[in-house]
Amino acid sequence: MDNQTQPLPQPNPIPLQSIQPHQLLISDLKHHSNPSKIPIRPPKARRLSSPVSSPPQPGPSQPTLIPTESATSAITTSTAITTTTKQTGAKGRRGKEKNQSQAAREYPQIIKPLTAPGELENALRHLRNADPLLAHLIDTHPPPTFETHHSPFLSLSRSILYQQLAYKAGTSIYTRFVALCGGEEAVLPDVVMSLTDQQLKQIGVSGRKASYLYDLSSKYQSGILSDETVVRMDDRSLFTMLSMVKGIGSWSVHMFMIFSLHRPDVLPISDLGVRKGIHQLFGLEELPRPSQMEQLCEKWRPYRSVGAWYMWRFVESKGAPSPRMTAALDGEIHQQQQLEQHQLQLLEPINGIGNLGPCIWGQ
């Protein structure tokens, strides 16, 4: 019995249940395996993530803890929330900046006129490259001229007086109107409002045209329009505001924008001369409709005013007996004006549309 080897005493294993979660070390897990393969209860392990939102960093003498699945989930969730908040804030700032930028673009801008230094040269260069058919006209005709510098109010009054009249008759009435006011510099809203119907009738101005002149002057007096605001308006706003004046229709607005304000990108879709020019230039079977004109002349942007000017010259060069295209087309223009005026009388207060060509604007 004494010679028999006695078995060595085995150390008693420490129950895993007695180990606190914060004392769970990597080395302890190695020494205290789980032979029965019973999983460690997760509720106690999840306590690691409850006091803090991120895992503690080990110090020099601090044991390394194993992050549990729930702790990692908490960290990921916290990071996701922070990232989402930052992205939302950044998106909000970007949206605000975008809205501010859009508002700045929508604010009416002063458009560079064709009479600005170098602008006409840019227009001719662009049109030559954009349309070979138009390039031939540019090479065979002199460059456009836009020399009229009348005040906006005078130019609009002039367009009203020339409506439904041949060039010679319109010039006669306009000359008497200017003399009645006391000169072109004196054609002002207050002066026109002081003229009586009888005075205007004596110089050949009809009662309807007199009402148009009064309406234009009234809108100037009330501040709805002014020479300063007209010059600063963008094309769309200008077209809308001027179309509110009795007797001023789309054609009158287009002529005013081209020959008085020298706007670069105006396509007068209701002008007979421009329609004929496009009809001949592109070899169409009939006069183009407004939608066709927009489509065919899209390549001319942003200098459609210059393209329209060459359409007038193109029609004129096709055998017009007069140096002014309008005189050659007087009969057709007058018939179209009568039809348009009849339609406008039925649709008052929609404004009248003149169609005398560019000559009434001093060109």
Side-chain angles (χ1 to χ4, degrees):
M1 183 92 178
D2 295 335
N3 295 330
Q4 293 179 356
T5 303
Q6 297 293 330
L8 296 176
Q10 298 295 327
N12 294 328
I14 301 174
L16 290 177
Q17 292 82 351
S18 63
I19 301 176
Q20 298 298 322
H22 65 276
Q23 296 176 337
L24 189 60
L25 308 181
I26 295 178
S27 59
D28 292 332
L29 288 178
K30 292 180 180 179
H31 291 296
H32 300 285
S33 59
N34 190 3
S36 61
K37 297 184 180 181
I38 299 175
I40 301 174
R41 291 184 296 176
K44 292 185 178 181
R46 280 198 295 267
R47 294 177 186 175
L48 282 172
S49 59
S50 58
V52 293
S53 59
S54 59
Q57 299 298 324
S61 60
Q62 183 178 1
T64 303
L65 299 179
I66 297 178
T68 61
E69 185 176 326
S70 58
T72 304
S73 176
I75 296 170
T76 305
T77 303
S78 175
T79 304
I81 293 174
T82 304
T83 304
T84 303
T85 303
K86 292 180 178 179
Q87 290 177 349
T88 304
K91 184 182 293 185
R93 289 192 297 271
R94 288 195 298 269
K96 185 177 181 181
E97 293 172 357
K98 182 178 179 181
N99 292 337
Q100 292 175 347
S101 177
Q102 183 176 1
R105 290 195 302 270
E106 292 175 352
Y107 187 80
Q109 302 293 320
I110 299 177
I111 300 175
K112 184 181 294 186
L114 288 169
T115 49
E119 190 65 11
L120 184 58
E121 289 76 9
N122 293 336
L124 297 179
R125 186 182 308 110
H126 169 79
L127 294 174
R128 277 195 181 97
N129 296 330
D131 192 343
L133 296 176
L134 196 57
H136 176 71
L137 295 181
I138 294 174
D139 293 335
T140 56
H141 289 81
T145 55
F146 300 94
E147 300 299 333
T148 301
H149 295 288
H150 293 146
S151 69
F153 181 81
L154 176 60
S155 297
L156 293 170
S157 301
R158 178 187 175 98
S159 71
I160 291 174
L161 292 172
Y162 271 85
Q163 288 177 4
Q164 287 190 286
L165 296 175
Y167 177 72
K168 184 177 180 180
T171 302
S172 177
I173 293 178
Y174 174 73
T175 301
R176 293 196 293 265
F177 171 76
V178 170
L180 184 62
C181 291
E184 288 188 333
E185 296 78 8
V187 179
L188 302 171
D190 294 341
V191 175
V192 174
M193 289 295 289
S194 67
L195 301 177
T196 65
D197 291 339
Q198 185 63 29
Q199 287 177 301
L200 293 174
K201 185 177 180 179
Q202 288 176 351
I203 64 173
V205 179
S206 66
R208 182 174 295 276
K209 287 187 179 180
S211 69
Y212 297 163
L213 292 172
Y214 292 146
D215 187 65
L216 174 64
S217 302
S218 175
K219 285 182 170 55
Y220 262 76
Q221 286 184 327
S222 64
I224 296 177
L225 293 173
S226 69
D227 285 351
E228 292 76 13
T229 57
V230 165
V231 171
R232 293 181 62 86
M233 283 184 189
D234 61 275
D235 290 351
R236 185 186 298 271
S237 301
L238 182 61
F239 188 90
T240 301
M241 295 299 295
L242 292 182
S243 297
M244 295 170 58
V245 181
K246 293 180 180 180
I248 296 181
S250 62
W251 182 88
S252 297
V253 176
H254 287 153
M255 295 299 103
F256 171 75
M257 293 169 68
I258 294 175
F259 293 106
S260 183
L261 300 183
H262 311 144
R263 294 292 173 90
D265 194 34
V266 180
L267 181 64
I269 57 177
S270 60
D271 184 86
L272 184 58
V274 176
R275 293 177 66 197
K276 283 194 169 185
I278 293 175
H279 167 259
Q280 296 175 8
L281 182 67
F282 293 99
L284 305 178
E285 295 182 357
E286 56 185 11
L287 289 178
R289 298 184 300 274
S291 58
Q292 289 179 295
M293 294 176 66
E294 293 279 358
Q295 183 179 4
L296 291 171
C297 301
E298 179 67 25
K299 65 182 73 173
W300 297 354
R301 287 181 182 271
Y303 297 107
R304 292 181 298 175
S305 299
V306 179
W309 191 91
Y310 277 103
M311 293 302 96
W312 286 312
R313 303 287 79 80
F314 183 42
V315 173
E316 180 182 337
S317 67
K318 285 293 184 177
S322 167
R324 292 187 180 274
M325 177 206 67
T326 303
L329 302 175
D330 243 358
E332 296 179 46
I333 289 175
H334 187 66
Q335 292 177 2
Q336 182 173 342
Q337 286 178 332
Q338 287 181 329
L339 175 61
E340 290 174 340
Q341 189 62 30
H342 175 67
Q343 294 172 342
L344 292 170
Q345 290 175 3
L346 297 177
L347 298 174
E348 285 288 359
I350 298 178
N351 306 319
I353 301 177
N355 199 355
L356 293 173
C359 63
I360 70 167
W361 300 88
Q363 302 301 314

